Amino acid sequence: MRRIKRRHRHRPTNNNRPPKQEDDDEEEEEHDQKPYILQLPVHIITEIFCKIPTKTLIQCKRVSKSWRCWFSDPQFTRELFSRTPASLWVTGHFLVDLDRIGSQSNVALQLFSNLRALCMTVVGSCNGFLCHYDFNSDFTRHLHISNPVTCEFFSLPIPSNRDSGDCYGFGFSPISDVYKLVRVSSLGGEPDQVMVLTVGFGIWRNIGHPGYSFYRVNPRHGIYLNGVLHWIGRSCRDRSRRLICVFDVESERFQELPLPLSSQNLRRTYFKLGILKGWLSVIHKVNDVISVWVMKDYGVKESWTKENEFKKPVGSFVTSTMKFTEQGKVLGLHHNQLMAYTLATTSLVRVQVDGLPSWISEAWELVPSFVSLKDIAGGLQHEGTICQS
């Protein structure tokens, strides 16, 4: 098959100009009234900010108009995003420093709480943005894109047909510079249908059949990497054979990638896709043994490499595995609590983070971004803006 090698590229920052001003008052602000750090050359300020923890930067943005001005400049925020480490986003809009998981000084930062009452499920994550699906008690459905760091969200149109058993994917095309939401409708014996929404245009397009079966796929959200969405699917010709279904966000075409091991025995084998150290990864479980594989040369079957192998600690823990740390720990959810499994001692312990709720329904690895939703949706009107609480 054709190899897909694309990377999310941002426009380079122009280090010879200051960030845009938000209003006339800020343009007239005297140079000597700005904080000393903001009087430094732009490239030096960027270097400094890239070394500051994300939670501290979020708090800095609230200090004054000068600080908000810096964090509203599109080119600066894109440069910052490209050099920001991943954090853990937890239901209720809490942000946790992944590199300090387990540290007594690690404190969760609550971003905004106005959405906590909504029963939202994340169906995709891309470039610091989250795509939420919300099914209310009055049986109305909603789709939202949010940036939990800038406290913005807007609504997307809902497809007209029913969505029982749907798979979603949220991705970015670095060629066209657009974001797209993909929905694959799977209704058992009926052929699957693929619909695509380009963010900012407001119209769902039916692009036909994927050529693969997504029936009873788990998990149902696509994994985004370098302009491509990935799901575990099945061959239409041989439903017992599972594979990686690949959707190119730019061309809107499906291809396939092989799994690292045979998947003929569906009852005893479990696969979960993810991203590990920038590589496409697969967690493979058969009986009581869990193996973690990474594809080091994208698209090449022979490049699948086993990174870890361990005994299953608890029944459901593997299905919610989120992160493998440098300290030899596996992070995941078990009974709606954040837990860590230590490979060396094969022990499972609860991870304590000050400020984090005791009950967690969902958690995602997320690279925080200060890029505004206005920069990705063009002239799309926001349904509402959520302010920081």
Side-chain angles (χ1 to χ4, degrees):
M1 62 168 283
R2 178 176 65 88
R3 294 190 200 171
I4 306 171
K5 284 194 175 183
R6 290 182 180 161
R7 299 189 180 275
H8 178 199
R9 297 186 294 271
H10 296 299
R11 299 182 182 90
T13 301
N14 183 348
N15 290 333
N16 295 321
R17 66 150 184 85
K20 294 187 296 184
Q21 304 296 304
E22 290 184 335
D23 51 50
D24 292 339
D25 291 337
E26 292 180 25
E27 290 179 359
E28 295 173 359
E29 184 178 22
E30 293 294 335
H31 181 77
D32 58 3
Q33 291 179 335
K34 293 182 180 180
Y36 175 74
I37 190 174
L38 298 184
Q39 299 179 32
L40 297 172
V42 174
H43 68 283
I44 295 180
I45 298 175
T46 304
E47 287 295 324
I48 294 174
F49 281 2
C50 287
K51 299 182 187 319
I52 298 176
T54 303
K55 291 189 291 185
T56 303
L57 292 178
I58 294 173
Q59 295 167 334
C60 287
K61 185 182 177 183
R62 305 170 182 173
V63 171
S64 66
K65 287 184 177 181
S66 298
W67 288 97
R68 289 196 300 272
C69 175
W70 267 99
F71 288 100
S72 64
D73 178 69
Q75 293 186 355
F76 169 72
T77 53
R78 285 171 177 155
E79 174 69 18
L80 187 63
F81 172 80
S82 67
R83 301 169 63 175
T84 300
S87 297
L88 187 68
W89 178 89
V90 177
T91 306
H93 299 283
F94 292 89
L95 201 64
V96 180
D97 189 342
L98 269 174
D99 293 333
R100 299 174 65 186
I101 285 287
S103 170
Q104 292 183 352
S105 60
N106 195 9
V107 179
L109 175 66
Q110 186 171 11
L111 298 174
F112 56 87
S113 60
N114 293 5
L115 291 181
R116 292 169 64 188
L118 295 179
C119 299
M120 296 187 300
T121 298
V122 176
V123 294
S125 173
C126 178
N127 298 342
F129 304 118
L130 296 173
C131 185
H132 309 263
Y133 178 89
D134 179 24
F135 191 81
N136 289 337
S137 58
D138 60 356
F139 302 105
T140 59
R141 299 170 297 150
H142 301 279
L143 280 171
H144 304 278
I145 292 178
S146 74
N147 184 336
V149 171
T150 63
C151 305
E152 299 171 302
F153 86 104
F154 59 69
S155 296
L156 300 174
I158 296 290
S160 57
N161 57 328
R162 60 176 180 165
D163 59 357
S164 176
D166 284 356
C167 296
Y168 280 95
F170 178 48
F172 172 75
S173 170
I175 298 176
S176 300
D177 194 27
V178 295
Y179 286 80
K180 296 180 182 180
L181 183 61
V182 182
R183 193 190 79 161
V184 182
S185 299
S186 183
L187 300 175
E190 301 179 20
D192 294 354
Q193 292 284 339
V194 182
M195 301 191 73
V196 177
L197 173 71
T198 301
V199 175
F201 288 83
I203 299 175
W204 284 92
R205 295 175 286 110
N206 191 330
I207 63 171
H209 307 300
Y212 303 97
S213 173
F214 284 69
Y215 184 54
R216 291 183 178 176
V217 166
N218 186 34
R220 310 200 65 78
H221 57 267
I223 300 298
Y224 174 80
L225 177 66
N226 298 337
V228 179
L229 288 164
H230 308 77
W231 294 267
I232 298 289
R234 292 178 171 85
S235 168
C236 287
R237 284 179 281 185
D238 182 3
R239 292 295 182 98
S240 67
R241 185 172 73 91
R242 280 190 284 185
L243 42 79
I244 301 175
C245 299
V246 174
F247 181 83
D248 189 307
V249 179
E250 171 64 24
S251 66
E252 299 182 358
R253 295 180 179 176
F254 276 93
Q255 300 179 56
E256 65 181 65
L257 289 176
L259 286 163
L261 296 171
S262 173
S263 61
Q264 296 295 329
N265 193 333
L266 297 180
R267 294 183 178 180
R268 301 178 60 192
T269 305
Y270 170 86
F271 290 96
K272 180 182 178 181
L273 285 174
I275 306 296
L276 182 62
K277 301 177 182 178
W279 294 311
L280 182 68
S281 68
V282 167
I283 296 176
H284 169 251
K285 179 178 73 71
V286 57
N287 296 328
D288 289 331
V289 179
I290 298 170
S291 303
V292 182
W293 296 77
V294 295
M295 180 176 269
K296 294 192 173 182
D297 189 2
Y298 188 84
V300 179
K301 179 180 180 179
E302 291 74 21
S303 71
W304 280 115
T305 304
K306 185 186 292 187
E307 288 286 294
N308 297 99
E309 183 174 283
F310 57 98
K311 291 285 186 177
K312 181 176 62 171
V314 185
S316 62
F317 184 77
V318 67
T319 63
S320 60
T321 300
M322 297 176 296
K323 177 74 175 178
F324 289 81
T325 71
E326 298 294 336
Q327 294 76 29
K329 294 183 179 180
V330 185
L331 298 179
L333 293 180
H334 179 62
H335 294 317
N336 299 112
Q337 293 182 336
L338 184 61
M339 308 290 286
Y341 175 76
T342 304
L343 299 177
T345 62
T346 65
S347 60
L348 185 66
V349 296
R350 182 180 174 186
V351 177
Q352 300 284 351
V353 179
D354 190 22
L356 200 63
S358 58
W359 191 89
I360 300 173
S361 62
E362 198 170 17
W364 284 66
E365 186 175 347
L366 179 76
V367 179
S369 171
F370 289 90
V371 177
S372 173
L373 289 179
K374 298 175 184 177
D375 297 329
I376 77 167
L380 184 65
Q381 296 295 318
H382 288 56
E383 179 183 89
T385 299
I386 306 301
C387 298
Q388 291 181 348
S389 54

